[in-house]
Amino acid sequence: MPRRARTASTLSVIAAITLSLGFAGIGALPAAADSIDGVPVTGTPSAVQQLVDYNGALYMTATNGTDSVLFAYDGAAFTEVPGSPLNPSFFHVHAGVLYFNAFGALGDSELWSFDGVTFTEIDGADDPSQFITYGGALYFAANPSGPIRLYTLTGTTVSLVAGSPEHFYDGIVEFGGDLVMISSASADATVEAVWSFDGTTFTEQLAAPPAPRSLTVAGGDLYLTGRTGADLLASDGPTFTPIATGALTDVYALVEFADTLYFGALTGADYRLHRVEGGVVVPIPGSPESPFAGFAHDGALWFQGADAEGNTIAFRYDGAAVTPLGGPARYPVDWTPFAGELYFVAYDGPASETGALFRVALTTDPALAPSGLDVTAPLLVTGVLLALGATLLARRRRVAP
């Protein structure tokens, strides 16, 4: 056989062996045994609650062993923030400053600000909550004297918004260019009503149903329920349209995910997850019991629910399937993205009664091939044979025909 033919034949054999071993090696690689877990963050302080991403750190309320104060987590370590007031809560970032409710010098709940270095107590806003940025200004509910009303902050001056209705329930949302809120009806302070505020004037939405609650914006519509929880309504502006819920009752925990409204509701004897699709209520297959505290992030809806043993754990819904998170986390709440990861607060196991900081982690099991052999061995042989083939090819090019 001519040298050229022998070389070509040898290369063909090497190629066949190489491909065979290469594919054998690839075939020996097991399917990735991935799971999504809630992992406790090392060094987490005790009694963690209310997370907020601010100024390059994850801030939270936690105990230092004596008092509940502000802590910061930079992704590696926890630090108690010096000078923190006691019991900080209701965090909101506005114009680069962190605002919140905390105990003041006299022991009552006051408005505070933190610029990353200095804490400042701001007078004139007792027990502030329901913070929202609107039209470039900071608004919040407070009761420095009498009933809860809407206030705004200019510099360090707190001002009552003229014409504000009394009392605030179930949060404040922005919709259609206005702030929308649930406050007392003008005709009867004991009855709730929907109000809107355009930056100048408050308007009572008389077309809204009586005793509303749970304002949520999803897919460009405003959703709310009746106080009884049996009614679900949608509004595209001036009108409110009932959505047929069939036999569902006790509608609650409204949340937007993928421009769609999701919520919990009682179906027979169980609470399950549902969504509104084309004006129709659709049950979510595989929903756990008692879904609550939903948060949309990274193409999924994260929430708590009951597993088969009755433990309240974390779940993930990606629009197709509901998956429980592994790990010891119980009663997960306060889902907060930080530094490319998703964090939350939960009890560290069934016996725990104080919150700890957790993060969502993808765990991969690097299992070996079923034979028990190191799957890198075929790939190593493949590499050697490829090198041999390259050497023979180089020699062939130097040989005259």
Side-chain angles (χ1 to χ4, degrees):
M1 179 182 297
R3 179 175 297 177
R4 177 183 294 177
R6 288 199 304 271
T7 302
S9 177
T10 302
L11 287 173
S12 298
V13 172
I14 290 175
I17 296 173
T18 298
L19 288 173
S20 177
L21 285 173
F23 284 120
I26 294 172
L29 288 172
D34 293 338
S35 64
I36 301 176
D37 301 323
V39 179
V41 178
T42 302
T44 176
S46 181
V48 175
Q49 56 183 319
Q50 302 204 24
L51 310 178
V52 61
D53 180 358
Y54 171 64
N55 200 27
L58 184 64
Y59 286 84
M60 67 205 72
T61 302
T63 180
N64 58 11
T66 304
D67 298 311
S68 182
V69 296
L70 194 66
F71 277 75
Y73 174 68
D74 62 4
F78 293 87
T79 303
E80 180 180 344
V81 183
S84 168
L86 303 184
N87 295 346
S89 61
F90 301 114
F91 299 120
H92 179 78
V93 178
H94 169 74
V97 177
L98 180 63
Y99 292 91
F100 57 95
N101 178 327
F103 283 178
L106 300 179
D108 50 356
S109 295
E110 296 288 352
L111 176 63
W112 287 79
S113 69
F114 176 63
D115 62 6
V117 177
T118 304
F119 291 95
T120 302
E121 182 178 354
I122 303 172
D123 294 330
D126 291 356
D127 203 17
S129 63
Q130 303 185 60
F131 294 94
I132 187 169
T133 297
Y134 169 67
L138 178 64
Y139 291 86
F140 53 91
N143 61 337
S145 58
I148 300 174
R149 289 187 169 92
L150 190 67
Y151 287 78
T152 188
L153 180 70
T154 304
T156 57
T157 301
V158 173
S159 303
L160 172 66
V161 180
S164 169
E166 297 181 0
H167 306 295
F168 283 79
Y169 310 90
D170 297 315
I172 305 170
V173 300
E174 184 174 354
F175 173 70
D178 295 341
L179 286 184
V180 181
M181 62 212 76
I182 297 176
S183 302
S184 295
S186 57
D188 185 351
T190 65
V191 177
E192 299 95 335
V194 175
W195 291 77
S196 63
F197 174 67
D198 62 5
T200 303
T201 305
F202 288 91
T203 303
E204 187 173 2
Q205 301 297 321
L206 298 177
R213 67 173 183 177
S214 302
L215 292 172
T216 303
V217 177
D221 288 329
L222 175 68
Y223 291 88
L224 53 81
T225 69
R227 177 57 65 185
T228 62
D231 303 317
L232 178 64
L233 300 98
S235 173
D236 58 3
T239 60
F240 291 82
T241 304
I243 295 175
T245 57
L248 297 181
T249 59
D250 200 11
V251 177
Y252 70 101
L254 280 61
V255 61
E256 180 184 31
F257 166 54
D259 294 326
T260 301
L261 179 73
Y262 286 75
F263 60 92
L266 183 61
T267 308
D270 300 322
Y271 288 91
R272 301 290 181 178
L273 187 65
H274 300 74
R275 70 169 177 257
V276 175
E277 188 175 295
V280 178
V281 172
V282 178
I284 304 303
S287 165
E289 290 190 21
S290 304
F292 186 67
F295 179 75
H297 172 70
D298 195 23
L301 180 64
W302 309 80
F303 61 98
Q304 63 170 247
D307 64 10
E309 287 74 38
N311 298 309
T312 300
I313 65 171
F315 287 84
R316 176 182 183 271
Y317 175 66
D318 62 3
V322 177
T323 305
L325 270 66
R330 298 293 185 270
Y331 299 97
V333 292
D334 291 334
W335 302 88
T336 305
F338 169 66
E341 296 190 276
L342 182 61
Y343 290 80
F344 62 94
V345 175
Y347 292 167
D348 191 0
S352 175
E353 295 183 356
T354 61
L357 184 65
F358 284 74
R359 67 178 178 86
V360 174
L362 178 66
T363 302
T364 301
D365 180 11
L368 299 179
S371 64
L373 297 176
D374 186 347
V375 297
T376 60
L379 298 179
L380 179 60
V381 174
T382 299
V384 172
L385 289 173
L386 285 173
L388 177 59
T391 300
L392 289 174
L393 182 60
R395 289 180 177 176
R396 173 193 172 194
R397 288 173 177 169
R398 290 197 299 266
V399 175

